């Protein structure tokens, strides 16, 4: 099984599971991961996703043995990239918060898959490597889009061109990820976060994700209009009514996440 799925109260853990290849992605794993995301979304009890890797690595990107240059010519990288693009779009669009627990090295597409998630925690021993330039490629999986937005143009370009490992603590200092945590606390912290998100107002979080993504291309005016419309939608949910009721009654809200 290239992907492992564990059900927890309110959320699912999805683990990349090819530890002997540092969870490098092959075609089968892509299919299994997309299916696991679709199943999570379809389950009304699932209100958050925790993505991590089995073994000592998070993900070493594309399985290079799967796209090896053959005698009869170069591989069809456009077809390979279509799969990654679909995966990144799915992670961004899925109406659930996605926590990524980067348990070890995240290289190439593996690094950028992590960046496509909503909240990224990493073990202090983990590192992020834009490994693409080492093999003559460019950062894909949204790397050229995520990196400058998260860490600024100067750092983005050096990370992409030099392909040096960025240790988790520096990644957090630079704003690439949310937090670097002690290795032995990573999964505990990630589970606590996923469990917390699973009790929040799910539709509000889904709309927040969409609003941030839309903001990347919108003018302020267009974004204000979008916020008005999304807020109107959020304001019609039972969770909004419950949030206000709980505030006035000075108690913790009991959100249902009704979508
Ligand atoms: O054509 C295309 O590629 C299009 C798609 C592009 C998207 C991409 O992701 S391109 C970038 C692909 N990824 C890489 O270039 C990273 C390759 N891996 C590494 O540079 C190193 O493995 C790491 C820096 C990530 C970790 O180094 P280290 O020393 O901790 O581990 P290791 O010994 O290199 O790897 C452990 C095993 O995993 C090893 O196998 P072995 O020798 O024990 O049998 C290694 O070959 C295997 N492995 C690691 N990465 C990959 C891989 N096998 C296949 N594909 C990999 N990407």
């Amino acid at each position: 099984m290239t992907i492992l799925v564990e059900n927890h109260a309110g959320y699912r853990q999805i683990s990349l599971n090819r530890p002997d290849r540092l969870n490098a992605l092959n075609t089968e794993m892509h299919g299994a991961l997309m299916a696991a995301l679709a199943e999570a979304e379809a389950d009304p009890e699932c209100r958050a996703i925790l993505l991590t890797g089995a073994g000592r690595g998070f993900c070493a990107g594309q399985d290079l043995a799967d796209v090896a240059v053959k005698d009869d010519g170069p591989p069809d990288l456009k077809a390979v990239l279509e799969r990654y693009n679909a995966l990144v779009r799915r992670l961004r669009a899925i109406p659930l918060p996605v926590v990524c627990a980067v348990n070890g090295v995240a290289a190439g597409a593996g690094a950028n898959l992590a960046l496509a998630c909503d909240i990224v925690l990493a073990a202090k021993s983990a590192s992020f490597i834009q490994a693409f330039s080492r093999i003559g490629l460019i950062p894909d999986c949204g790397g050229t889009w995520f990196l400058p937005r998260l860490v600024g143009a100067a750092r983005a370009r050096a990370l992409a061109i030099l392909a040096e490992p960025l240790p988790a603590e520096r990644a957090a200092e630079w704003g690439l990820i949310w937090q670097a945590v002690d290795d032995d606390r990573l999964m505990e912290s990630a589970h606590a976060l996923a469990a917390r998100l699973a009790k929040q107002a799910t539709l509000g979080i889904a709309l927040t994700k969409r609003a941030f993504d839309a903001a990347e291309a919108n003018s302020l005016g267009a974004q204000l209009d979008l916020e008005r419309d999304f807020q109107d939608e959020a304001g019609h949910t039972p969770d909004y009514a419950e949030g206000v009721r709980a505030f006035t009654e000075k108690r913790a809200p009991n959100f249902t996440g009704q979508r």
Side-chain angles (χ1 to χ4, degrees):
M1 301 250 277
T2 54
I3 294 291
L4 301 175
V5 179
E6 277 175 28
N7 276 320
H8 294 269
Y11 67 97
R12 287 184 182 198
Q13 177 177 331
I14 299 178
S15 303
L16 310 176
N17 187 41
R18 297 183 71 223
D20 57 329
R21 304 283 93 189
L22 299 180
N23 301 318
L25 283 144
N26 60 13
T27 311
E28 183 191 343
M29 198 173 181
H30 265 282
L33 183 50
M34 288 293 270
L37 292 171
E39 282 160 23
E41 182 179 352
D43 176 3
E45 301 297 314
C46 179
R47 291 167 61 188
I49 292 171
L50 166 52
L51 179 67
T52 191
R56 73 175 175 91
F58 171 67
C59 177
Q62 170 62 32
D63 185 324
L64 295 172
D66 224 31
V67 289
V69 178
K70 307 269 175 11
D71 291 341
D72 57 353
D76 182 358
L77 294 191
K78 280 194 180 173
V80 174
L81 262 292
E82 281 306 329
R83 284 198 292 274
Y84 282 100
N85 291 355
L87 186 52
V88 170
R89 287 192 176 102
R90 194 82 183 86
L91 287 167
R92 301 298 279 196
I94 197 163
L96 301 170
V98 183
V99 174
C100 185
V102 178
N103 52 298
V105 66
N112 295 336
L113 273 189
L115 301 185
C117 298
D118 296 304
I119 302 184
V120 185
L121 303 179
K124 284 185 180 167
S125 67
S127 60
F128 295 80
I129 312 176
Q130 295 294 321
F132 309 89
S133 70
R134 294 182 182 179
I135 54 171
L137 294 181
I138 68 154
D140 58 27
C141 279
T144 57
W145 193 88
F146 292 124
L147 288 170
R149 283 170 169 77
L150 293 169
V151 300
R155 286 168 170 166
R157 284 177 189 236
L159 287 172
I161 294 169
L162 300 175
E164 288 177 5
L166 183 70
E169 282 179 279
R170 182 159 307 159
E173 278 163 31
W174 285 8
L176 189 75
I177 64 168
W178 171 237
Q179 270 174 1
V181 299
D182 290 334
D183 286 25
D184 59 357
R185 301 280 319 278
L186 176 71
M187 292 317 293
E188 179 191 333
S189 306
H191 279 287
L193 192 51
R196 170 177 158 187
L197 291 167
K199 291 188 175 147
Q200 286 191 213
T202 312
L203 186 77
I205 295 176
L207 291 168
T208 302
K209 287 178 65 153
R210 279 174 57 196
F212 274 121
D213 278 352
E216 297 296 344
N218 274 347
S219 65
L220 175 60
Q223 191 65 13
L224 288 170
D225 288 347
L226 177 143
E227 289 175 359
R228 175 201 58 213
D229 295 344
F230 282 13
Q231 201 68 297
D232 189 48
E233 197 176 326
H236 282 83
T237 60
D239 281 344
Y240 171 65
E242 166 61 7
V244 175
R245 233 180 358 254
F247 176 79
T248 53
E249 292 169 7
K250 299 190 186 302
R251 61 170 173 83
N254 182 20
F255 293 126
T256 62
Q258 202 177 308
R259 298 183 222 159

